[in-house]
């Protein structure tokens, strides 16, 4: 069940900066379309109650601060990024063409299963990148394993699985995997060349260290090759 993140301390501080009483806050919230009792404002500041999403947005407007200030955290989850953009579930679901119930389930499970258009609409609405979305959804480890298998084996077999995770077209993913496979293969070629030539162990260890460093940067390098497609919504959202 989603619960709106809220910092009583930040709420008290924001109200103090504005010089408003709980009664005044409640009055101004009513003008914002979110009427509440002054005692509820105090309950929020005491930590005994938590505002709803709509109440959080209205309170941020009244106190002239960002929603993230009142949340007291840097957004980490899909729900928190939505709140930071002051979007209700219903409004965001409408913008990305998804049933609100389905979207709410995705937030609760922290598992995104929208199609390519919905995914691109989501990252644009939340001000994210495809790469950031994958991190939020906890799929970085899965992507890493696919990339490691691709560079060490038959890279073509991993084009579709990787494209499904990153929501980038298969051609771009294939180009990146082919490049990475070639780069990784050269480590083996150099290693074997020095081994056959009976070069000293220091050189072999140096190549092995370079190989290990390459593997550690595998995901970063993949996104470097993908380029702008991974940093923002890859194409305009004018149609489906």
């Amino acid at each position: 069940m989603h619960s709106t993140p809220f910092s009583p301390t930040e709420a008290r501080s924001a109200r103090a900066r504005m010089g408003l009483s709980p009664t005044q806050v409640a009055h101004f919230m009513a003008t914002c379309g979110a009427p509440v009792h002054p005692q509820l404002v105090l309950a929020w500041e005491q930590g005994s109650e938590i505002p709803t999403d709509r109440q959080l947005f209205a309170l941020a407007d009244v106190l002239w601060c960002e929603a993230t200030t009142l949340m007291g955290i840097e957004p980490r989850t899909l729900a928190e990024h939505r709140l930071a953009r002051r979007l209700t579930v219903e409004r965001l679901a409408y913008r990305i063409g998804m049933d609100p119930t389905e979207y709410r389930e995705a937030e609760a499970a922290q598992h995104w299963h929208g199609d390519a258009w919905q995914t691109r609409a989501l990252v644009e609405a939340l001000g994210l990148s495809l790469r950031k979305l994958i991190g939020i959804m906890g799929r970085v480890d899965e992507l890493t394993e696919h990339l490691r298998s691709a560079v060490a084996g038959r890279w073509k077999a991993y084009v579709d699985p990787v494209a499904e995770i990153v929501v980038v077209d298969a051609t771009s993913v294939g180009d990146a995997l082919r490049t990475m496979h070639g780069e990784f293969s050269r480590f083996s070629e150099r290693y074997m060349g020095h081994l056959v030539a009976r070069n000293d162990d220091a050189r072999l260890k140096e190549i092995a260290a370079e190989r290990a460093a390459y593997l550690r940067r595998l995901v970063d390098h993949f996104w470097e090759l993908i380029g702008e497609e991974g940093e923002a919504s890859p194409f305009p959202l004018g149609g489906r």
Side-chain angles (χ1 to χ4, degrees):
M1 176 73 72
H2 162 70
S3 177
T4 306
F6 187 74
S7 170
T9 300
E10 292 294 345
R12 288 194 302 271
S13 297
R15 180 169 66 79
R17 285 194 297 271
M18 293 297 294
L20 298 174
S21 68
T23 299
Q24 290 172 313
V25 170
H27 170 74
F28 290 128
M29 285 189 67
T31 65
C32 292
V36 297
H37 194 278
Q39 287 302 316
L40 183 57
V41 175
L42 285 174
W44 293 339
E45 294 183 1
Q46 293 165 357
S48 58
E49 295 286 345
I50 297 174
T52 65
D53 294 359
R54 292 180 184 277
Q55 289 170 340
L56 174 71
F57 304 152
L59 182 61
D61 284 337
V62 170
L63 299 180
W64 282 48
C65 64
E66 298 294 331
T68 49
T69 299
L70 298 178
M71 289 161 63
I73 58 171
E74 283 298 318
R76 299 157 298 178
T77 67
L78 199 57
E80 289 167 3
H81 278 280
R82 172 178 57 77
L83 291 171
R85 303 289 284 195
R86 299 195 186 194
L87 293 168
T88 62
V89 166
E90 292 74 19
R91 185 178 174 191
L92 179 56
Y94 175 79
R95 287 181 62 172
I96 66 176
M98 180 177 283
D99 180 85
T101 300
E102 185 180 3
Y103 177 79
R104 189 176 285 106
E105 290 173 352
E107 276 195 359
Q110 272 292 100
H111 180 72
W112 179 247
H113 53 269
D115 61 28
W117 191 93
Q118 290 169 330
T119 300
R120 287 166 167 78
L122 179 68
V123 297
E124 182 163 293
L126 298 184
L128 300 173
S129 65
L130 293 173
R131 180 176 187 176
K132 186 69 176 290
L133 178 63
I134 292 166
I136 293 170
M137 292 295 98
R139 301 193 72 182
V140 176
D141 288 345
E142 185 182 359
L143 174 61
T144 301
E145 286 305 309
H146 282 320
L147 294 179
R148 290 179 75 97
S149 297
V151 300
R154 299 170 59 117
W155 64 267
K156 290 183 180 180
Y158 294 92
V159 172
D160 287 342
V162 170
E164 185 273 327
I165 294 174
V166 302
V167 200
V168 173
D169 68 274
T171 299
S172 297
V173 170
D175 289 344
L177 295 189
R178 182 177 62 251
T179 297
M180 295 169 73
H181 182 271
E183 292 170 343
F184 193 70
S185 295
R186 285 193 282 278
F187 285 115
S188 297
E189 293 169 2
R190 289 168 57 202
Y191 189 88
M192 291 304 298
H194 285 285
L195 195 62
V196 171
R198 297 179 181 276
N199 287 338
D200 58 77
D201 288 344
R203 184 54 184 149
L204 294 176
K205 289 179 180 178
E206 182 180 327
I207 297 172
E210 291 175 9
R211 178 181 182 275
Y214 183 88
L215 288 174
R216 285 195 296 273
R217 289 199 71 253
L218 210 54
V219 173
D220 289 337
H221 187 40
F222 170 77
W223 287 114
E224 289 167 358
L225 292 172
I226 289 296
E228 293 183 0
E229 283 195 292
E231 296 305 321
S233 182
F235 53 72
L237 301 174
R240 298 184 67 170

